[in-house]
Amino acid sequence: MGSFAKNQWYAAAWLSELTDAPLARRILDEPVVLFRTPEGTVSALLDRCPHRLVPLSMGTVTGRGLQCGYHGMTFGGNGRCVHIPGQDTIPPQAQVPSYPIEERYGIAWIWMGEADQADRALLPDIPYHDDPDWERIDGGYQHHPSNYLNIVENLMDPAHTTFVHKQTIGNPAAADTPVTMERTDEHIVAYKWLKNSPPSQMDVKIKDFGDEKVDRGIFFYFIIPSTSRVDVITMPAGLEPTEENYNKGLRNNSYKFLTPESETSTHFFWMHLRNYKVGDKAWSERMRGVFEQTFLEDRDIEMAMQSWQNEVGVRQFVGLEIDRAPTIALRMIGKMVKDEKAERETAVA
Ligand code: FES
Ligand SMILES: [Fe+2]
């Protein structure tokens, strides 16, 4: 399929998902099996035994590597066969394609494109991930049966929260606040400020503000092609907008990592960081419930859209002003895919 950027890191699994059993996961429309090698690092192979094409994920992880569940051929983390039961010589074809993996932020990141271009420096950056002044919730995974571009649009679209998330995070006042947009080559950000206003209902639950007025900012970043960061800031009114000042108030950083599974489905990983209630695990569990519910509300909308898109082959019939940021994000992804394709063709020519 030609619609995904391949020379990128995508979240393949939480490291906590990779215990002693192989994990099958379709990524960018390729069947992948992830497992922990005897050395303890995570490996990813094409999920197909070269002998009789049985999915290797039906096998087991042994002290030697990943063992096929049919006749026991065993493969190391690099995809080379290391053992064949009842046979001493290993044929040179006895190997499976492997994919580069990097373990960072508690996630196994996979590179589905040209292995020689896999560069650790291109992994997403997550500020404050290990900062002791911040608390983190991770381990969130959902399956969204929708093309990942539908989810990109959703994550760049502050307007939907009033309607879709009535039961969770929706705030009627937010719908009419104007949004500013900026972009670089790597990301796009849509943001708005509510200056000199009372703190939100949620903020008041966290901290007693008394009569204090605050500046509330919300920034929707999308780092092309698959990382969303929503940075929500409540800081004392009138301060300069600097990183240092943002941290003087309450701050929430919500991340989503989107990994296309197929043209009509997506792996949705989420992580949340906050600079208050550090160490309060009960609060984290409550918030985890709220987030899971919020993302399921989005999933239901995206899934319903996908069935219409399958039927009519069109993504939308009319454009609105609120589509500006999502449209640019989609255009940037489209360009990335096109440039990659052109590069591949030049390499072949
Ligand atoms: S099919 Fe895997 S070893 Fe025979
Ligand atoms: Fe949403």
Side-chain angles (χ1 to χ4, degrees):
M1 292 282 180
S3 54
F4 306 126
K6 291 181 84 175
N7 285 329
Q8 298 292 329
W9 294 106
Y10 288 95
W14 288 102
L15 295 180
S16 55
E17 291 183 277
L18 298 160
T19 51
D20 51 0
L23 174 75
R25 193 154 274 170
R26 194 171 189 88
I27 297 174
L28 270 53
D29 245 340
E30 288 180 40
V32 173
V33 56
L34 294 135
F35 68 104
R36 247 177 224 287
T37 64
E39 295 73 43
T41 55
V42 174
S43 277
L45 305 179
L46 181 66
D47 192 9
R48 187 182 69 196
C49 179
H51 180 220
R52 295 269 176 76
L53 318 192
V54 169
L56 289 168
S57 56
M58 292 174 77
T60 46
V61 180
T62 71
R64 285 197 259 232
L66 180 58
Q67 184 178 58
C68 178
Y70 201 6
H71 312 101
M73 277 179 87
T74 305
F75 303 88
N78 59 6
R80 286 190 179 279
C81 179
V82 291
H83 176 69
I84 304 176
Q87 180 175 333
D88 289 335
T89 45
I90 295 179
Q93 305 89 329
Q95 55 174 298
V96 191
S98 67
Y99 307 92
I101 289 276
E102 284 289 344
E103 297 173 44
R104 191 159 166 197
Y105 305 127
I107 291 174
W109 302 88
I110 194 165
W111 185 276
M112 301 295 291
E114 270 85 36
D116 59 353
Q117 291 189 40
D119 180 354
R120 196 180 158 80
L122 299 173
L123 283 168
D125 186 29
I126 305 183
Y128 312 115
H129 184 269
D130 295 310
D131 191 318
D133 294 334
W134 287 65
E135 185 71 25
R136 199 177 70 234
I137 309 175
D138 53 22
Y141 170 85
Q142 291 183 348
H143 184 259
H144 287 210
S146 196
N147 181 286
Y148 97 111
L149 298 180
N150 291 330
I151 307 173
V152 174
E153 287 177 322
N154 173 282
L155 294 169
M156 287 305 295
D157 162 19
H160 81 273
T161 54
T162 309
F163 305 99
V164 180
H165 305 306
K166 281 198 272 293
Q167 311 301 332
T168 48
I169 57 166
N171 168 4
D176 299 321
T177 320
V179 172
T180 313
M181 210 186 66
E182 284 163 17
R183 60 170 283 191
T184 67
D185 282 347
E186 289 81 34
H187 77 246
I188 169 163
V189 53
Y191 65 93
K192 59 188 177 185
W193 280 104
L194 271 171
K195 296 272 178 151
N196 204 27
S197 63
S200 72
Q201 281 182 6
M202 189 67 186
D203 294 335
V204 176
K205 280 188 198 151
I206 298 162
K207 189 185 143 187
D208 182 8
F209 283 83
D211 293 335
E212 197 188 332
K213 287 283 178 42
V214 293
D215 290 341
R216 289 161 61 198
I218 181 157
F219 291 73
F220 294 81
Y221 290 92
F222 195 79
I223 300 105
I224 306 297
S226 62
T227 302
S228 155
R229 176 191 185 204
V230 181
D231 190 4
V232 185
I233 298 152
T234 298
M235 66 177 186
L239 293 182
E240 287 290 303
T242 64
E243 189 64 20
E244 200 190 333
N245 285 336
Y246 293 165
N247 288 336
K248 288 186 178 151
L250 303 177
R251 197 168 180 193
N252 290 279
N253 273 202
S254 174
Y255 287 89
K256 288 96 188 175
F257 310 107
L258 309 177
T259 304
E261 179 185 50
S262 69
E263 292 290 340
T264 55
S265 56
T266 305
H267 303 292
F268 181 100
F269 297 86
W270 66 268
M271 178 190 287
H272 186 266
L273 287 147
R274 63 174 190 262
N275 71 342
Y276 57 89
K277 290 198 185 285
V278 175
D280 188 339
K281 302 296 174 198
W283 181 270
S284 292
E285 278 320 296
R286 256 176 67 199
M287 293 317 291
R288 176 188 291 277
V290 173
F291 293 137
E292 291 280 0
Q293 182 55 36
T294 305
F295 304 145
L296 290 177
E297 289 166 355
D298 289 316
R299 182 205 58 182
D300 290 350
I301 291 271
E302 293 152 6
M303 187 163 70
M305 289 162 62
Q306 185 64 53
S307 11
W308 262 121
Q309 290 171 354
N310 293 346
E311 200 161 319
V312 296
V314 169
R315 301 193 71 251
Q316 67 183 76
F317 289 107
V318 62
L320 302 183
E321 275 175 31
I322 53 166
D323 297 340
R324 237 176 107 225
T327 303
I328 292 175
L330 259 56
R331 218 176 280 152
M332 288 166 82
I333 295 172
K335 183 174 181 313
M336 184 178 258
V337 174
K338 212 170 120 209
D339 289 352
E340 244 185 38
K341 197 166 164 246
E343 210 175 288
R344 262 196 304 274
E345 279 162 9
T346 323
V348 171

